Amino acid sequence: MIRNLILILIIVAMLLTVFNFDLAGFDLKSNQTLIFLSAVVIAVIALVLVVYNTLKTSKGEE
């Protein structure tokens, strides 16, 4: 339960970073673009882990 809460907070933080990014300034050489891409990757990984942990605990309770 705590692990899922932490992952959800990570997802929220990464989504705030993504929403704060200005797509007009998208340049692969920019540090802001690398932070944006990293935030997207981390948010996706955290989302997958939340689903995995939820399915794992629901199967364990059956």
Side-chain angles (χ1 to χ4, degrees):
M1 183 69 175
I2 297 293
R3 186 179 304 167
N4 284 346
L5 180 62
I6 292 170
L7 289 171
I8 290 170
L9 290 175
I10 290 172
I11 292 170
V12 168
M14 295 304 109
L15 286 177
L16 287 174
T17 303
V18 168
F19 292 146
N20 194 30
F21 182 72
D22 182 21
L23 287 174
F26 192 85
D27 179 21
L28 288 178
K29 296 178 184 175
S30 171
N31 285 340
Q32 291 298 323
T33 302
L34 294 178
I35 291 172
F36 168 75
L37 294 175
S38 300
V40 170
V41 169
I42 291 171
V44 169
I45 291 171
L47 183 63
V48 168
L49 287 173
V50 166
V51 171
Y52 175 75
N53 287 335
T54 304
L55 292 176
K56 182 176 157 185
T57 56
S58 67
K59 285 184 182 179
E61 293 175 355
E62 290 179 359

